[in-house]
Amino acid sequence: MEKLKKYVSVKNEDHFYHQGAVELLIFNFLLILTILTIWLFKNHRFRFLHETGGAMLYGLVMGLIIRYVTKSPDVESGTVYECEKLESGPSTLLINITNQVYEYQYKREISHHNVNDHQGNAMLQKMTFDPSIFFNILLPPIIFHAGYSLKKRHFFRNLGSILTYAFLGTAISCIVIGLIMYGFVKAMVHIGQLKQWEFHFTDCLFFGSLMSATDPVTVLAIFHELNVDTDLYTLLFGESVLNDAVAIVLTHSISIYSPKENPNAFDAAAFFQSVGNFLGIFAGSFAMGSSYAVVTALISFMHLTKFTKLCEFPMLETGLFFLLSWSAFLSAEAAGLTGIVAVLFCGVTQAHYTYNNLSPDSKMRTKQLFEFMNFLAENVIFCYMGLALFTFQNHIFNPLFIFGALVAVFVARASNIYPLSFLLNLGRKQKIPRNFQHMMMFSGLRGAIAFALAIRDTDSQPQQMMFSTALLMVFFTVWVFGGGTTPMLTWLQIRVGVDPDEDLKAKAASQSASNLDKNTTKAESAWLFRIWYGFDHKYLKPLLTHTGPPLTSTLPEWCNPVARLLTSPSAYGDQLKDGDTVYIINNDELTENCDLSAHIPVPAQDSTDSIQATGKEDIQEGDLGLGGYKLQLQHTAGQPQKNSLA
Amino acid sequence: MEKLKKYVSVKNEDHFYHQGAVELLIFNFLLILTILTIWLFKNHRFRFLHETGGAMLYGLVMGLIIRYVTKSPDVESGTVYECEKLESGPSTLLINITNQVYEYQYKREISHHNVNDHQGNAMLQKMTFDPSIFFNILLPPIIFHAGYSLKKRHFFRNLGSILTYAFLGTAISCIVIGLIMYGFVKAMVHIGQLKQWEFHFTDCLFFGSLMSATDPVTVLAIFHELNVDTDLYTLLFGESVLNDAVAIVLTHSISIYSPKENPNAFDAAAFFQSVGNFLGIFAGSFAMGSSYAVVTALISFMHLTKFTKLCEFPMLETGLFFLLSWSAFLSAEAAGLTGIVAVLFCGVTQAHYTYNNLSPDSKMRTKQLFEFMNFLAENVIFCYMGLALFTFQNHIFNPLFIFGALVAVFVARASNIYPLSFLLNLGRKQKIPRNFQHMMMFSGLRGAIAFALAIRDTDSQPQQMMFSTALLMVFFTVWVFGGGTTPMLTWLQIRVGVDPDEDLKAKAASQSASNLDKNTTKAESAWLFRIWYGFDHKYLKPLLTHTGPPLTSTLPEWCNPVARLLTSPSAYGDQLKDGDTVYIINNDELTENCDLSAHIPVPAQDSTDSIQATGKEDIQEGDLGLGGYKLQLQHTAGQPQKNSLA
């Protein structure tokens, strides 16, 4: 008997393994279908449905099949058992059933109202994966890649505007959505669809903050394919990347905002605590991400006499790069900060410093690795969103709430983009034109981050309603707006098919106009830029990379012994002495050249890389815009251009 | 109150996320340490401790820290609760505890004797990850990579010997270990350390089969670094790769061998059922793996007029390649076959057909991707093995059993290698010399597969004892034998530092001896080789790749319309008409040339890729040894060499 029992248990467990394989196989199958569809679309130049929309569609169909075709054999799952002896839920529960002990793992708390929905089948439950997989495994590569492939020069030229849209814009959007939703919730309470105590103003703000995270994937992929105007591209990319970070921290701050007494009343102390929280978490995450990148840069830079450089072992280098970047995310999460923000700035910093120290082989390896992981993670998330519509078992679709969300999202986007653009245009000499503003308004798609934030906690009824609504908003915006991007570009008469070569000639012809632009954008970010650039170029670059002037010339004289130790031997080749300061002042003509260099045609092989192919030449320059170009000049000329600069 | 409760729950859940991050962070930290150590070792040319040994050591130390430093706050976990209402364990359990419903997920059955060990802390439990992650995620890349980087020419030249060692050798090893262990178990029962009914002969055989899986990683990495004799390298690599596959299927067959009556008596019917099972599962897995690879080859080969070739989108191509290969594994598992075997042969077939259709960019991308995944997965597994020694909570270390295992493993390895080498030498003209045999004997390290098979089920006491013992054997063999490889090579006077250039000259000088060798090895595998080669070259290659003669010349005339449709336009350039048959007969001089070509120096950038760098030129030839060289000749000559061959 004992024997028999053992084998039965082995077989059962085998069955469990196969189940794990089946679920992964379903995802693989969906991804393969998506890839084949993308291939088909690329052939026929379809643009009315983007690949992410396709992935969602396949997920949807698969969810439908799983829901209605697979049986529900596990009837007992819906029953609630009493256990008087327990006082709280332990993480592991051992239960004696007919003389056999079974181990159960704590999963979550369930509200009483959800218990009835719980008679679902095991397949559905298995297809619903743990939100922590989302946060710890699928999101980091996407966000890191966004940071790593950031077009730094363009980004920093538009830094002021981007920061305004990201911080102020997200705050506006969050508050506007919160207010409108609060109105709708009041109305729902009035007509009896909702009980008064269920939905507070903080819940509305929570919904507002999660719906404020816009998704760059779909629109920017189309922009990239169509070679849309670079400034519009940069504004949108920068906004949506930073805006995700802001929305995540905001959501976190709101979720821990707990006023002492009446949850609907305003509590100044709690509010300022939340604001403080927001700032602290943001700054902490930024510091965490950057410091990991700096450590990576230092390791890859090590040139102590005893050691071969790490870059002679591309596999180790790639591995270390990958692991340290992921650790930035995980450490931030473990420390109670926001991993997404950390990994974003880690990516930016890695591209700025570490990338310069890598061997050519590793440069390509890391680039391709992150690209590939980004591609896979993105498609998995969109497939999963499609699946979730049918496999998630506690959806609450409330038509009034959904309609309210639709209105709120539009109004919020409008009151974010138009007033801020107006304000920014007061300061900018190179205005953001009307059609750009309309396009930015139209490009407010919701995607992975909104979904991930909503799925993080779906226990209470308001949370379930918010999740279901957020999911529908993602579907709606990705399919309708994603599909409408190409017609909208035509309709708004935005320059598409900007041939880099022609653009280069055009810019060269309109020299004066271009010069005006440069001065404008420089002025816009100059105060921030100059300080940072000087510090970075003088101290950080030489310390962390093989480029830049040697530290012996930038540090005070008494630091010389240390400086000599820390400077890369190759840096002396670039020695410029006091050229830096001169350079920062006289950089107008260089900026011009530099801007031209940004339009060097992208190698053909990159044509399929969704967002970031044009980021490539940026990274290869490996410097903050201007500085990078200067160093390039030196490299090609073979000699430091002391005379021309001094 | 309701409000407050919700926020408390949110915070709890946040805490759970951070926990997930902490565990991943620990692994990241271990891997980073390992990489830095490898770097250090590579610098100092340390070879007494290989990187895998280092990874295990770090895992061990970390396990020690986690075990004894972290507290055990969750006292309730050890208590068993009664539940009379339940009759079997449902997959999800809802429990009402003080008016709050908690959801619990089924994890496993626990034997009564393990319940007391269960007061462990939550951290330990979290660090012990689900064995299905091992099987579904960590093992496939390692095995696929082994198949993908197989040095086909050398492998096929030694095919007969490798198959003998792998199939017959593993069977011998399994039976010998099983018998010896049964003797020790009897002794343990005799002195009262074990009860009669606990440990059957089938359990001993099970242990024998899992301990028969040898690990190629550590030794072969050293071999590669030292440029050890290619024949020895190929024999060991081929043996250990195939031997893993055989051991896995064997373990599975034994675990489902359930004699009707007395479990210790021999039941012929059940035995033959197991043998049939073994053959069926092996053949089925082989077919599953190969067919996925063929599908991939077909997709990547598609050249219908309407479609751009897939190879113009390297990202999609890489993605499809990756997903289809993984699907081969998952489908086999889902179908009740053995995924490891499927993914191994999928890798071999992908390298043979699909690789030829890839764009140069994708060739490199896939190669680097699989290399990287292999590198990470390998180090994660070795770290985890180190961790498991302290984090696994139900170890049973029985000194007698461990001693028995040590003896059994040695005797089994000896009775596998020496008699089989003797038999093989009767047939081989190029004998396997004594020192090679000793080295093969010495290289019987146990690694990831043995560990994975043992951890798959650790519920009963015999299983726990087997797991603990297997783990110790892995430690012992990796540290002692892995570390002793270099001294052993010196002591056995095996040629190391074989400079490919010099080897080439030496071979050219001893032309006659070499010719003799060729004939021998050819004769050894000729009967299998010729049939397969002819079929492959005539039909499969033209159908699945852009190389080989056009199908129009190899298929009967009435198939011409179909053949024309299916042949790649580029194949006509290589048209040879009946050259193939001639070639197969006259391939002596080509074999000679071909063998020389194998010693072309490996590009320097590959020096850190552990096992497979020398496999590179093999794959780039993209053909079964001889054939590949012929096609290369044609390509370099620009014209088909009709005259010289006909």
Side-chain angles (χ1 to χ4, degrees):
Chain A
M1 266 315 286
E2 179 74 19
K3 184 76 190 173
L4 198 72
K5 192 146 198 181
K6 198 191 102 198
Y7 283 133
V8 169
S9 121
V10 166
K11 272 175 204 164
N12 269 347
E13 211 151 329
D14 264 354
H15 186 68
F16 267 76
Y17 289 121
H18 299 163
Q19 283 266 324
V22 170
E23 293 139 37
L24 286 170
L25 194 59
I26 289 175
F27 273 102
N28 270 15
F29 176 70
L30 286 176
L31 290 176
I32 291 168
L33 263 185
T34 308
I35 290 181
L36 291 177
T37 313
I38 299 172
W39 181 27
L40 192 80
F41 280 15
K42 288 218 189 249
N43 268 297
H44 292 275
R45 303 187 180 282
F46 282 159
R47 284 201 194 89
F48 63 88
L49 179 63
H50 186 254
E51 54 198 68
T52 51
M56 283 208 303
L57 195 64
Y58 286 128
L60 201 76
V61 173
M62 183 59 85
L64 206 66
I65 293 172
I66 294 173
R67 173 123 208 176
Y68 294 109
V69 173
T70 61
K71 282 272 151 47
S72 155
D74 206 355
V75 192
E76 261 179 299
S77 290
T79 326
V80 181
Y81 298 94
E82 298 295 324
C83 213
E84 293 84 10
K85 291 164 213 156
L86 279 166
E87 294 191 350
S88 66
S91 65
T92 310
L93 192 65
L94 300 179
I95 291 200
N96 193 346
I97 301 167
T98 58
N99 213 23
Q100 175 62 48
V101 181
Y102 293 93
E103 181 178 340
Y104 281 84
Q105 188 81 44
Y106 176 83
K107 212 176 154 197
R108 55 180 182 141
E109 237 177 86
I110 293 188
S111 303
H112 286 278
H113 65 93
N114 291 334
V115 170
N116 288 335
D117 303 326
H118 234 274
Q119 274 131 343
N121 62 41
M123 193 65 201
L124 285 190
Q125 275 166 33
K126 290 223 169 100
M127 290 305 292
T128 312
F129 53 62
D130 195 344
S132 73
I133 294 181
F134 242 101
F135 275 88
N136 291 335
I137 295 172
L138 290 174
L139 280 186
I142 296 180
I143 307 292
F144 180 84
H145 185 251
Y148 197 60
S149 62
L150 195 76
K151 300 168 84 178
K152 274 176 289 160
R153 189 181 321 109
H154 294 274
F155 181 78
F156 280 101
R157 272 178 51 203
N158 291 296
L159 190 64
S161 310
I162 289 172
L163 287 178
T164 312
Y165 283 125
F167 280 84
L168 215 56
T170 307
I172 291 175
S173 167
C174 168
I175 292 166
V176 169
I177 295 180
L179 285 172
I180 294 177
M181 290 323 288
Y182 194 59
F184 273 90
V185 164
K186 283 273 177 215
M188 283 158 74
V189 171
H190 193 71
I191 61 168
Q193 286 190 354
L194 208 64
K195 287 182 206 114
Q196 175 69 47
W197 50 263
E198 279 188 325
F199 223 111
H200 304 287
F201 183 58
T202 43
D203 291 318
C204 293
L205 273 183
F206 181 84
F207 185 69
S209 65
L210 73 88
M211 287 309 291
S212 298
T214 56
D215 184 58
V217 177
T218 314
V219 171
L220 292 182
I222 297 172
F223 274 28
H224 179 253
E225 218 168 281
L226 293 176
N227 288 316
V228 168
D229 188 283
T230 325
D231 274 316
L232 177 60
Y233 183 93
T234 311
L235 277 178
L236 257 179
F237 183 71
E239 186 231 341
S240 48
V241 163
L242 275 186
N243 149 333
D244 285 349
V246 174
I248 288 172
V249 182
L250 204 58
T251 311
H252 189 229
S253 302
I254 290 173
S255 79
I256 58 176
Y257 166 80
S258 45
K260 301 256 154 24
E261 289 156 30
N262 180 357
N264 280 322
F266 181 78
D267 178 340
F271 173 76
F272 282 111
Q273 203 190 336
S274 271
V275 171
N277 248 320
F278 174 85
L279 295 176
I281 290 175
F282 203 93
S285 308
F286 176 86
M288 180 75 85
S290 314
S291 47
Y292 264 95
V294 166
V295 168
T296 318
L298 274 176
I299 292 176
S300 63
F301 172 63
M302 287 239 283
H303 56 100
L304 304 175
T305 42
K306 259 188 176 177
F307 282 92
T308 337
K309 276 178 208 141
L310 185 60
C311 67
E312 287 172 30
F313 310 108
M315 176 75 84
L316 301 185
E317 208 179 9
T318 312
L320 207 60
F321 194 145
F322 168 78
L323 290 169
L324 278 170
S325 305
W326 195 17
S327 296
F329 174 90
L330 295 170
S331 305
E333 286 286 311
L337 303 169
T338 306
I340 299 289
V341 178
V343 85
L344 172 66
F345 290 105
C346 180
V348 174
T349 319
Q350 296 281 35
H352 192 52
Y353 299 116
T354 315
Y355 191 82
N356 289 306
N357 299 336
L358 298 181
S359 63
D361 191 21
S362 292
K363 280 184 186 174
M364 214 174 45
R365 271 171 192 253
T366 51
K367 187 177 168 290
Q368 289 180 350
L369 180 70
F370 292 128
E371 236 173 66
F372 183 69
M373 283 178 11
N374 172 57
F375 174 78
L376 271 193
E378 225 169 75
N379 281 301
V380 169
I381 288 182
F382 278 94
C383 278
Y384 187 67
M385 285 199 267
L387 270 175
L389 191 61
F390 287 104
T391 57
F392 184 72
Q393 304 192 51
N394 300 319
H395 276 302
I396 298 181
F397 294 109
N398 182 315
L400 196 58
F401 194 83
I402 294 167
F403 176 72
L406 206 61
V407 171
V409 163
F410 277 91
V411 175
R413 184 81 186 161
S415 43
N416 163 0
I417 298 294
Y418 294 120
L420 288 183
S421 302
F422 175 76
L423 285 178
L424 285 170
N425 276 345
L426 293 181
R428 282 173 77 108
K429 278 196 189 120
Q430 185 198 12
K431 309 287 185 203
I432 300 166
R434 271 276 151 192
N435 58 352
F436 279 24
Q437 294 179 27
H438 294 317
M439 197 63 221
M440 287 183 76
M441 167 74 204
F442 187 79
S443 307
L445 272 68
R446 267 62 178 176
I449 304 278
F451 176 79
L453 287 172
I455 208 177
R456 202 155 181 167
D457 196 4
T458 55
D459 192 44
S460 70
Q461 267 175 319
Q463 284 163 344
Q464 284 162 9
M465 207 185 328
M466 290 195 272
F467 171 66
S468 304
T469 309
L471 188 58
L472 283 186
M473 294 302 298
V474 172
F475 278 90
F476 181 77
T477 54
V478 168
W479 281 339
V480 175
F481 293 172
T485 305
T486 320
M488 200 65 180
L489 283 171
T490 321
W491 194 66
L492 289 174
Q493 297 179 310
I494 290 172
R495 276 204 314 167
V496 294
V498 180
D499 183 25
D501 280 335
E502 281 186 22
D503 201 45
L504 189 129
K505 282 179 209 152
K507 291 238 170 161
S510 61
Q511 189 95 7
S512 58
S514 182
N515 259 337
L516 195 71
D517 285 4
K518 293 303 155 268
N519 288 328
T520 322
T521 48
K522 194 156 59 67
E524 190 190 352
S525 52
W527 61 275
L528 219 165
F529 205 63
R530 271 168 199 253
I531 299 165
W532 163 249
Y533 176 79
F535 180 72
D536 178 56
H537 186 70
K538 267 191 181 161
Y539 305 111
L540 293 182
K541 278 260 160 177
L543 195 66
L544 298 173
T545 72
H546 297 289
T547 55
L551 280 174
T552 40
S553 66
T554 55
L555 282 175
E557 208 152 294
W558 56 269
C559 298
N560 258 355
V562 182
R564 204 161 293 141
L565 189 73
L566 292 172
T567 303
S568 162
S570 66
Y572 291 100
D574 299 329
Q575 199 157 356
L576 257 186
K577 298 251 150 140
D578 294 323
D580 314 303
T581 38
V582 178
Y583 167 68
I584 289 178
I585 296 162
N586 289 355
N587 60 358
D588 271 329
E589 72 263 44
L590 280 169
T591 319
E592 179 54 27
N593 292 332
C594 149
D595 195 62
L596 296 178
S597 81
H599 295 281
I600 289 163
V602 179
Q605 67 174 65
D606 268 335
S607 58
T608 53
D609 307 346
S610 51
I611 329 174
Q612 63 299 323
T614 52
K616 193 184 174 185
E617 82 268 26
D618 238 12
I619 289 176
Q620 279 179 342
E621 261 171 47
D623 206 325
L624 260 170
L626 318 175
Y629 189 65
K630 190 191 61 172
L631 290 170
Q632 264 200 336
L633 270 183
Q634 290 166 13
H635 283 301
T636 47
Q639 282 290 326
Q641 305 197 319
K642 275 183 203 170
N643 305 334
S644 68
L645 285 168
Chain B
M1 268 310 289
E2 177 73 18
K3 184 76 188 172
L4 198 72
K5 189 143 201 184
K6 198 192 102 196
Y7 283 131
V8 169
S9 122
V10 167
K11 272 176 204 164
N12 269 347
E13 211 151 330
D14 265 354
H15 186 66
F16 267 76
Y17 291 120
H18 298 164
Q19 282 267 324
V22 170
E23 294 139 36
L24 285 170
L25 194 58
I26 290 175
F27 273 102
N28 270 16
F29 176 69
L30 286 177
L31 290 177
I32 291 168
L33 264 185
T34 307
I35 290 180
L36 291 177
T37 314
I38 299 173
W39 180 29
L40 193 80
F41 280 15
K42 287 214 190 256
N43 267 298
H44 292 274
R45 303 189 180 282
F46 283 159
R47 285 202 193 86
F48 62 88
L49 180 61
H50 187 253
E51 54 197 68
T52 51
M56 283 208 303
L57 196 65
Y58 287 128
L60 201 77
V61 173
M62 182 59 84
L64 205 67
I65 294 172
I66 294 174
R67 172 125 209 174
Y68 294 108
V69 173
T70 61
K71 283 272 154 44
S72 156
D74 205 355
V75 191
E76 257 180 299
S77 291
T79 325
V80 180
Y81 297 95
E82 297 295 326
C83 213
E84 293 84 10
K85 290 167 217 154
L86 278 167
E87 296 193 349
S88 66
S91 65
T92 310
L93 192 66
L94 301 178
I95 291 199
N96 194 346
I97 302 167
T98 58
N99 214 24
Q100 175 64 46
V101 181
Y102 293 93
E103 182 179 341
Y104 282 85
Q105 189 80 44
Y106 176 82
K107 212 175 154 199
R108 55 182 181 139
E109 237 178 87
I110 293 188
S111 303
H112 287 278
H113 65 92
N114 291 334
V115 170
N116 288 337
D117 304 324
H118 235 274
Q119 274 132 344
N121 61 42
M123 192 66 200
L124 285 190
Q125 274 167 32
K126 289 222 173 100
M127 290 306 292
T128 312
F129 52 61
D130 195 343
S132 73
I133 293 182
F134 242 100
F135 275 88
N136 291 334
I137 294 171
L138 291 174
L139 279 187
I142 297 181
I143 307 291
F144 180 84
H145 186 251
Y148 197 61
S149 62
L150 195 76
K151 301 167 83 178
K152 276 175 289 159
R153 190 182 318 112
H154 295 274
F155 181 79
F156 281 101
R157 271 178 50 204
N158 291 296
L159 190 65
S161 310
I162 289 171
L163 288 178
T164 310
Y165 285 125
F167 280 85
L168 215 56
T170 308
I172 291 174
S173 166
C174 168
I175 292 167
V176 169
I177 296 179
L179 285 171
I180 295 176
M181 290 322 290
Y182 194 59
F184 274 91
V185 165
K186 282 274 177 214
M188 283 159 72
V189 171
H190 193 72
I191 61 169
Q193 285 190 354
L194 208 64
K195 286 183 206 113
Q196 175 69 48
W197 50 262
E198 277 188 326
F199 223 110
H200 304 288
F201 183 59
T202 44
D203 292 318
C204 295
L205 274 184
F206 181 85
F207 185 69
S209 65
L210 73 87
M211 287 311 290
S212 298
T214 56
D215 184 58
V217 176
T218 313
V219 171
L220 292 183
I222 297 172
F223 274 28
H224 180 254
E225 218 168 281
L226 295 176
N227 287 315
V228 168
D229 187 284
T230 325
D231 275 317
L232 178 59
Y233 182 93
T234 311
L235 277 177
L236 257 179
F237 182 69
E239 188 232 340
S240 48
V241 164
L242 274 185
N243 151 331
D244 285 350
V246 174
I248 288 172
V249 182
L250 203 58
T251 312
H252 189 228
S253 302
I254 290 172
S255 79
I256 58 176
Y257 165 80
S258 45
K260 301 256 154 24
E261 289 156 30
N262 180 357
N264 279 322
F266 180 78
D267 180 338
F271 172 76
F272 282 112
Q273 204 190 336
S274 272
V275 172
N277 248 320
F278 174 85
L279 295 176
I281 290 174
F282 203 93
S285 308
F286 176 86
M288 180 76 85
S290 314
S291 46
Y292 265 95
V294 166
V295 168
T296 318
L298 274 176
I299 292 175
S300 64
F301 171 62
M302 287 241 282
H303 57 97
L304 303 175
T305 42
K306 260 188 172 176
F307 283 91
T308 337
K309 278 176 207 143
L310 186 60
C311 67
E312 287 173 28
F313 309 107
M315 177 75 83
L316 301 185
E317 209 178 8
T318 313
L320 207 60
F321 195 143
F322 168 78
L323 290 169
L324 278 170
S325 304
W326 195 16
S327 295
F329 175 89
L330 295 170
S331 305
E333 285 287 312
L337 302 169
T338 307
I340 298 288
V341 177
V343 85
L344 172 66
F345 290 105
C346 180
V348 174
T349 318
Q350 296 280 35
H352 191 52
Y353 300 116
T354 315
Y355 191 82
N356 289 304
N357 299 335
L358 297 180
S359 62
D361 191 22
S362 292
K363 280 185 186 175
M364 213 173 45
R365 271 172 192 248
T366 50
K367 188 177 167 290
Q368 290 180 348
L369 180 71
F370 292 128
E371 236 173 67
F372 183 69
M373 285 180 9
N374 172 59
F375 174 78
L376 271 193
E378 226 168 73
N379 282 300
V380 169
I381 288 183
F382 278 94
C383 279
Y384 186 67
M385 285 199 268
L387 270 175
L389 192 61
F390 288 103
T391 57
F392 184 73
Q393 303 191 51
N394 300 318
H395 276 301
I396 298 181
F397 294 109
N398 183 313
L400 196 58
F401 194 82
I402 294 166
F403 176 72
L406 207 62
V407 172
V409 163
F410 277 91
V411 175
R413 184 79 186 162
S415 44
N416 162 1
I417 297 295
Y418 295 119
L420 288 184
S421 302
F422 175 75
L423 285 178
L424 285 170
N425 277 345
L426 293 181
R428 284 174 76 110
K429 276 192 191 123
Q430 187 198 10
K431 310 286 185 204
I432 301 166
R434 271 277 151 190
N435 58 352
F436 280 24
Q437 295 179 26
H438 294 317
M439 197 62 221
M440 287 183 75
M441 168 75 203
F442 187 79
S443 307
L445 273 67
R446 268 60 179 178
I449 304 277
F451 176 79
L453 287 173
I455 208 177
R456 201 157 183 164
D457 194 5
T458 54
D459 191 46
S460 70
Q461 267 174 318
Q463 283 162 344
Q464 287 163 8
M465 205 177 353
M466 289 194 273
F467 172 67
S468 305
T469 309
L471 188 57
L472 285 186
M473 293 303 297
V474 172
F475 278 90
F476 181 76
T477 53
V478 168
W479 281 338
V480 175
F481 293 173
T485 304
T486 320
M488 200 63 180
L489 283 171
T490 322
W491 194 65
L492 290 174
Q493 298 181 309
I494 290 173
R495 277 202 313 166
V496 295
V498 179
D499 184 23
D501 279 335
E502 280 184 25
D503 202 45
L504 188 128
K505 282 179 212 152
K507 291 238 171 163
S510 62
Q511 188 94 7
S512 57
S514 182
N515 259 337
L516 194 71
D517 285 6
K518 293 306 153 265
N519 288 328
T520 323
T521 46
K522 193 156 60 67
E524 191 190 349
S525 52
W527 59 275
L528 220 165
F529 206 62
R530 272 168 198 252
I531 299 165
W532 163 249
Y533 176 79
F535 180 72
D536 178 56
H537 186 68
K538 267 190 182 165
Y539 306 112
L540 293 181
K541 278 260 158 177
L543 194 66
L544 298 173
T545 72
H546 295 288
T547 56
L551 280 174
T552 42
S553 66
T554 55
L555 282 176
E557 206 152 297
W558 56 269
C559 299
N560 259 356
V562 182
R564 205 162 291 141
L565 189 73
L566 293 172
T567 303
S568 162
S570 66
Y572 290 100
D574 298 331
Q575 198 156 357
L576 256 186
K577 297 253 151 141
D578 295 324
D580 313 302
T581 39
V582 178
Y583 165 69
I584 290 177
I585 296 161
N586 290 355
N587 61 357
D588 272 328
E589 72 263 46
L590 280 169
T591 319
E592 179 54 27
N593 292 331
C594 147
D595 196 64
L596 296 177
S597 81
H599 295 280
I600 289 163
V602 180
Q605 68 173 63
D606 268 335
S607 58
T608 52
D609 307 348
S610 52
I611 328 174
Q612 62 299 324
T614 52
K616 193 184 175 185
E617 81 269 27
D618 239 15
I619 290 177
Q620 279 179 338
E621 261 171 47
D623 205 324
L624 261 169
L626 317 175
Y629 188 65
K630 189 190 59 171
L631 291 170
Q632 264 201 335
L633 271 182
Q634 290 166 15
H635 285 302
T636 47
Q639 282 293 325
Q641 305 196 318
K642 275 184 204 170
N643 306 331
S644 68
L645 286 166

